[in-house]
């Protein structure tokens, strides 16, 4: 390659927003400014630990809700947690914790070792996702026994401890993990009488102490979903950055009384 081509390649590389450094760092913390769906800007914290093989995404929504998303690549588990601020005037506690567990598919995020090497060139730029992946809907019809959750992932107890006994998953996820050899005693499938498809929705229930089907929706507005490759002097492309995605999730689940699902009135 001649000197002019080399200079052009150097200039192009300088304008890549995120770079993958060839460091041996095992853990990393990265703070990114992200524009939320309502137009507001928030700080998003991304943490990666390539030794534990996990990635964590955490940010605060405009209403004060703290969203945490943890991907456990070793155990093929993803954990969603929402710490929703309570309404004391309606008899609620300071906050309510929701936790949803599902299996992690290959290719949902970049690998943890790539995330651990990610560095941001322009930390003051507000990020918007390059690709919007639409809405994924979950009907949560099973719960986890928290005291035995370590059989599935050691991270569930730390992330979901405030949710107590209402840590939800799906029957199809239970089957997936059972086929992988996970201990079956940690799961409890809801009886048919508590199936959300047969319950009255909390938004239409008038009795605050009546069981109902609750819905909760959250958005991950920015996360590294795919590696980018560039061509250099050699015949093979090399990793030179990331592609960012956003995705929405809707969770439908049983709740023992409407008092634990007051946000559903506002949606």
């Amino acid at each position: 390659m001649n000197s002019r081509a080399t200079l052009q390649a150097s200039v192009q590389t300088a304008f890549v927003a995120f770079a993958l450094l060839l460091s041996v760092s095992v853990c990393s913390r990265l703070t990114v400014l992200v524009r939320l769906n309502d137009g507001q800007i928030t700080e998003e914290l991304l943490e990666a630990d390539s030794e534990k093989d996990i990635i964590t995404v955490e940010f605060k929504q405009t209403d004060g809700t703290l969203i945490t998303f943890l991907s456990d690549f070793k155990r093929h588990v993803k954990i969603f947690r929402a710490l929703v601020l309570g309404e004391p005037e309606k008899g609620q506690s300071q906050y309510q914790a929701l936790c949803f567990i599902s299996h992690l598919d290959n290719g949902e995020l970049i690998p943890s070792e790539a995330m651990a090497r990610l560095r941001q060139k322009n930390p003051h730029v507000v990020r918007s996702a390059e690709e919007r992946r639409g809405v994924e809907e979950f009907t949560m019809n099973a719960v986890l026994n928290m005291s035995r959750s370590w059989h599935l992932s050691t991270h569930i107890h730390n992330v979901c401890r405030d949710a107590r006994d209402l840590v939800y998953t799906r029957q199809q996820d239970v089957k997936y993990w059972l086929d992988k050899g996970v201990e079956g005693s940690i799961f409890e499938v809801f009886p048919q009488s508590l199936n959300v498809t047969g319950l009255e929705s909390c938004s239409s229930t008038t009795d605050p102490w009546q069981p109902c089907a609750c819905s909760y929706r959250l958005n991950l507005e920015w996360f590294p979903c795919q590696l980018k490759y560039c061509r250099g002097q050699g015949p093979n492309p090399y990793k030179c950055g990331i592609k960012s995605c956003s995705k929405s999730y809707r969770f439908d689940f049983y709740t023992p009384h409407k008092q634990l699902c007051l946000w559903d009135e506002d949606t």
Side-chain angles (χ1 to χ4, degrees):
M1 180 181 289
N2 59 38
S3 58
R4 182 177 180 181
T6 302
L7 177 61
Q8 288 177 337
S10 300
V11 171
Q12 289 174 352
T13 303
F15 283 93
V16 174
F18 290 85
L20 290 165
L21 302 185
L22 298 177
S23 67
V24 294
S25 173
V26 173
C27 303
S28 74
R29 290 169 59 94
L30 189 68
T31 301
V32 179
L33 294 177
V34 175
R35 190 175 302 280
L36 298 174
N37 195 40
D38 60 6
Q40 299 298 311
I41 297 171
T42 190
E43 284 191 350
E44 182 176 282
L45 176 65
L46 298 101
E47 295 183 298
D49 188 323
S50 58
E51 187 174 306
K52 294 180 180 178
D53 207 6
I54 61 171
I55 291 176
T56 305
V57 179
E58 189 167 82
F59 63 95
K60 189 172 286 188
Q61 296 181 159
T62 307
D63 64 1
T65 299
L66 182 66
I67 301 295
T68 304
F69 173 66
L70 186 144
S71 298
D72 182 347
F73 293 89
K74 282 185 179 179
R75 305 294 291 175
H76 304 285
V77 171
K78 57 186 176 187
I79 306 170
F80 300 88
R81 184 192 66 183
L83 294 181
V84 185
L85 293 181
E87 301 181 59
E89 67 276 10
K90 294 183 179 180
Q92 290 186 320
S93 57
Q94 184 178 2
Y95 65 88
Q96 180 181 345
L98 302 173
C99 233
F100 308 105
I101 316 293
S102 184
H103 80 269
L104 180 67
D105 290 321
N106 293 328
E108 288 194 53
L109 295 91
I110 65 173
S112 61
E113 64 270 17
M115 182 66 211
R117 295 196 299 268
L118 200 62
R119 300 294 182 268
Q120 186 175 194
K121 288 182 177 292
N122 302 299
H124 302 297
V125 173
V126 178
R127 308 290 173 186
S128 295
E130 299 169 66
E131 178 186 329
R132 295 196 172 275
R133 290 187 167 180
V135 181
E136 185 174 1
E137 297 186 353
F138 294 80
T139 298
M140 314 306 283
N141 43 25
V143 291
L144 269 70
N145 181 337
M146 281 290 286
S147 66
R148 300 180 62 80
S149 63
W150 58 270
H151 284 283
L152 180 58
S153 170
T154 56
H155 306 288
I156 294 175
H157 185 269
N158 290 335
V159 176
C160 298
R161 60 182 178 272
D162 292 326
R164 299 176 184 173
D165 297 326
L166 295 179
V167 179
Y168 297 92
T169 189
R170 303 177 296 175
Q171 289 188 39
Q172 64 197 76
D173 290 314
V174 172
K175 183 179 184 306
Y176 174 87
W177 290 317
L178 292 179
D179 291 343
K180 296 288 185 180
V182 175
E183 172 61 48
S185 63
I186 71 171
F187 305 110
E188 180 182 349
V189 176
F190 285 140
Q192 190 63 32
S193 60
L194 298 183
N195 195 313
V196 293
T197 57
L199 285 173
E200 186 177 4
S201 67
C202 293
S203 59
S204 59
T205 301
T206 56
D207 183 354
W209 304 108
Q210 180 178 321
C212 53
C214 186
S215 293
Y216 188 79
R217 181 167 175 162
L218 63 84
N219 300 320
L220 294 181
E221 293 291 352
W222 193 96
F223 61 92
C225 57
Q226 190 174 323
L227 294 174
K228 287 183 177 180
Y229 291 84
C230 297
R231 290 198 172 275
Q233 299 182 28
N236 299 321
Y238 62 93
K239 299 172 186 176
C240 59
I242 58 98
K243 177 181 180 179
S244 60
C245 292
S246 69
K247 189 170 182 177
S248 298
Y249 302 86
R250 172 177 165 154
F251 304 94
D252 297 316
F253 57 99
Y254 160 83
T255 187
H257 49 81
K258 179 180 178 175
Q259 190 72 4
L260 295 174
C261 186
L262 292 181
W263 62 81
D264 217 2
E265 296 177 336
D266 306 322
T267 57

